[in-house]
Each structure stands twice: as C-alpha cells, then as structure tokens.
Amino acid sequence: RKHVPSMKQTKKAITCLMGVVLITMVAAMTASAATALNGQLVLRPVTPGDVTVYKLPATTETSPGLTTVGIGSPVYLEADINLAIPASNIVSVTWALTNIPIGSAATFTNSPLGTNVPVYDVSTRASLQATGRVLLRPDMVGQYTIIATIVTTGIGSTNISKTITAGTYMGISTCALCHSGGVIAEDKYTTWQTTAHAHIFTDGINGALGSYSSSCLKCHTVGYDPNTNAVVNPINGGFDDVAKQLGWTFPTVLAPTNWAYMQAAYPSLANLGNIQCENCHGPGSEHAHALGNTNFISRSVNSGDCNQCHDAPTHHIKGTEWYVSRHALTTGPRDRKSVV
C-alpha cells in the first residue's frame, strides 16, 4: 500500500528543505562577500618617509593626498581592491579623465610608486591591495574628474571616480580676509597666529632655531615645489615660483632682521612664508573666487595631511610614531576614497 506522509511529516520536510536553502544562501552570500571587489579610488599621500623606506627616486615629490591641489603638483592616483582577489583574476585597470578644464592637456603618466609600496592606510593593509597606479599633474585651474575601471574574472567589474580641484596659492592675507573674526566665516586666523606653524619660517631665517637651511622651505612655506615638472605656465603661485620671479635668495647669514627685511622688500613673498592654511587645505584660489564655496577646498583630518612633513625620519618622527601606534589601526571614514 502506498505510504502517504502525514501533515506533521510534510511540515518537517518543508522546514528541513527551507533550512538547507537558507544555509546555501548564507554560504553563497559569505563567499560573495569574501571576494567582493570593494573598489576604492584613492589619492595616495606620499611622505618623505615613503621616499626613504621604499627607496623611491630622490626627486619624488611628497603629497598630502588632498582633493585640492596646486596646478603642476603631483596627484598619486591608486585603485584599490579586496586583498583576497588573486592577481590572476585581475584583467585590467583603465583610467579616464572627464570634465577637465577647457584647453587642458593634462594626461596620466607612470606612477613612481612600485609594487613594494603598500596602500597608505595602515588599518586597510590587511584587507586592500593596490591594483593600479598612475600620476596626474593638473595643468590648468579648474576641476578634473578621474574614472578608474577595474575588470576581473569571476568577481565582476566596477567604475570608481574622484573629482579634484586644481588652483593657485593665495597666501595668508587672502585667507585672513574672511577667517580673521568677521561675520563671513569662522575665525581661524587668530588661533593660527598662536601656533608654532605661524612663525617657524620667521624664526628660521632670523636665526632663532639655530641650524636652518633652504631645505626646510619645502615644509615651512606655502606651495614650495621646485621640481621642474611642477613648474607650469601659468605658475601655481607657490613660494618657490614667487621667489624666482622676485629674485629672492635664501639669506647667507641668519640674522634677527631677515624677516622684517623680507616683509618690507618682498611683501608678496612674505605672504607665503610660514606654515599656513593652504599647507593643510590646498591652494585656495577657487575657494576664494567662489566666495567661500567649500566644494573647492579640502577639509581633511587624514594623517597624510600631517605626514607630508611630519613623517620624515630621522628629524621629524611624529608620523613614524603614528604608523606603529594603535591609533593607526583604528577604522572609520576616509574622505579621500570613493567606495563601491
């Protein structure tokens, strides 16, 4: 006689089947998550410590990894993906420039960062790998949109993008117009004046720091980059460009009157002396011309902004200390990245 399952047995079988399906779905989702692309387009900071540790060419320029950059300055672009994806599964990484300023001839060139250079954030080195790198030097004021297309086998593909603003340096006098206590913007100038950043160059050329030389200008002035690749037409208005225009040279004798003399004889150059707003926020021309539009200035709290100067063993070691600290392993939002 044919056996007919009872209602209880039928419900039990259905429950078991649903359990198997659920387990299968969870397993599939877990496997998928484990090999998700996690594509990110990063403006990688490059520090003096990177140049030393990874034996990069001595001419390698540093970068804070900001989305606001001086024309002619290097932007180190990096496409990161899940570290679990084997290199054999990566078919291609292609780069495209869109929405560039009219007349721009900017193009991608090879990045000096080799395969021995890891992703910047210490907290993501166990989960992400750099799968493509290029270098871009904006040649005109305006915005540039970069798109990276990553194609893989078995995991899919993605387009990731980032928009940067290229501008020129204005100096502290322009920043102070709005940021010195008026009703237009928050007073940042008054607080800045009380910091060591505000007078480090002044103290240096006045002889108050003891040992001081022109090699200090890269970090102690605004927009200083004498690399011939960074000298474009029009100039970006950094300290080195203005000094060359005016014929100023580093003083042969460090004397207490040097800063006062510069202010009197070279006021436009003194306007770019010391560590100012634009050292950490990028060139402010587009921000100022847009009447304070915050889309045209960087507001970053990322370590790369500090480490462009403070990760310089053996004399500036704060960045190095950060790398090996628990702070470097914390996770949270990173405004340099586009995540897919």
Side-chain angles (χ1 to χ4, degrees):
R1 190 175 67 177
K2 186 176 180 180
H3 174 71
V4 179
S6 67
M7 184 62 71
K8 184 176 181 180
Q9 289 174 320
T10 301
K11 288 183 177 179
K12 184 176 181 181
I14 291 174
T15 301
C16 290
L17 180 59
M18 289 178 65
V20 171
V21 171
L22 182 59
I23 291 172
T24 302
M25 290 176 63
V26 170
M29 291 172 65
T30 301
S32 175
T35 55
L37 271 176
N38 296 338
Q40 303 180 2
L41 180 52
V42 177
L43 309 183
R44 193 196 192 282
V46 174
T47 73
D50 288 332
V51 176
T52 300
V53 172
Y54 302 114
K55 295 179 172 53
L56 300 176
T59 54
T60 303
E61 298 149 275
T62 59
S63 172
L66 297 176
T67 56
T68 309
V69 300
I71 55 174
S73 299
V75 180
Y76 299 99
L77 297 160
E78 179 178 286
D80 295 344
I81 62 171
N82 193 335
L83 184 61
I85 298 174
S88 58
N89 284 57
I90 303 168
V91 177
S92 63
V93 179
T94 55
W95 301 85
L97 266 176
T98 63
N99 301 323
I100 63 175
I102 296 175
S104 171
T107 187
F108 300 115
T109 58
N110 293 332
S111 172
L113 310 184
T115 55
N116 65 315
V117 180
V119 297
Y120 174 76
D121 284 318
V122 178
S123 60
T124 61
R125 289 180 182 177
S127 60
L128 292 176
Q129 60 179 314
T131 189
R133 284 173 169 148
V134 293
L135 184 147
L136 175 69
R137 289 183 189 275
D139 59 347
M140 295 184 67
V141 167
Q143 291 195 307
Y144 300 71
T145 298
I146 304 104
I147 299 176
T149 301
I150 304 172
V151 178
T152 68
T153 55
I155 300 133
S157 61
T158 188
N159 292 317
I160 45 182
S161 66
K162 180 75 71 175
T163 297
I164 65 171
T165 299
T168 57
Y169 295 96
M170 308 298 287
I172 193 61
S173 61
T174 297
C175 300
L177 287 175
C178 295
H179 289 282
S180 59
V183 297
I184 298 176
E186 187 177 356
D187 183 1
K188 296 294 186 180
Y189 176 76
T190 302
T191 304
W192 168 78
Q193 285 186 306
T194 67
T195 68
H197 281 180
H199 51 81
I200 186 72
F201 171 74
T202 300
D203 292 345
I205 64 171
N206 279 353
L209 301 179
S211 177
Y212 199 74
S213 69
S214 59
S215 64
C216 302
L217 302 186
K218 181 168 63 174
C219 285
H220 293 176
T221 63
V222 173
Y224 189 92
D225 187 354
N227 188 298
T228 55
N229 292 321
V231 178
V232 295
N233 186 21
I235 63 174
N236 65 25
F239 187 94
D240 59 301
D241 292 335
V242 177
K244 185 176 181 179
Q245 282 185 326
L246 298 177
W248 179 87
T249 57
F250 192 85
T252 55
V253 177
L254 301 179
T257 58
N258 284 338
W259 173 246
Y261 173 73
M262 174 182 277
Q263 287 181 303
Y266 304 97
S268 60
L269 186 60
N271 182 50
L272 298 166
N274 298 302
I275 301 170
Q276 306 180 10
C277 310
E278 291 171 298
N279 290 79
C280 300
H281 297 285
S285 64
E286 303 313 283
H287 172 62
H289 294 158
L291 303 179
N293 188 327
T294 56
N295 291 323
F296 300 122
I297 197 73
S298 294
R299 295 177 294 168
S300 170
V301 292
N302 290 297
S303 62
D305 213 354
C306 301
N307 281 347
Q308 62 176 312
C309 292
H310 287 283
D311 176 37
T314 55
H315 52 298
H316 290 311
I317 61 172
K318 294 301 182 183
T320 308
E321 291 176 341
W322 173 82
Y323 277 122
V324 298
S325 73
R326 294 285 295 177
H327 285 206
L329 296 176
T330 59
T331 58
R334 295 175 179 81
D335 64 11
R336 291 190 311 276
K337 299 176 181 176
S338 298
V339 180
V340 178

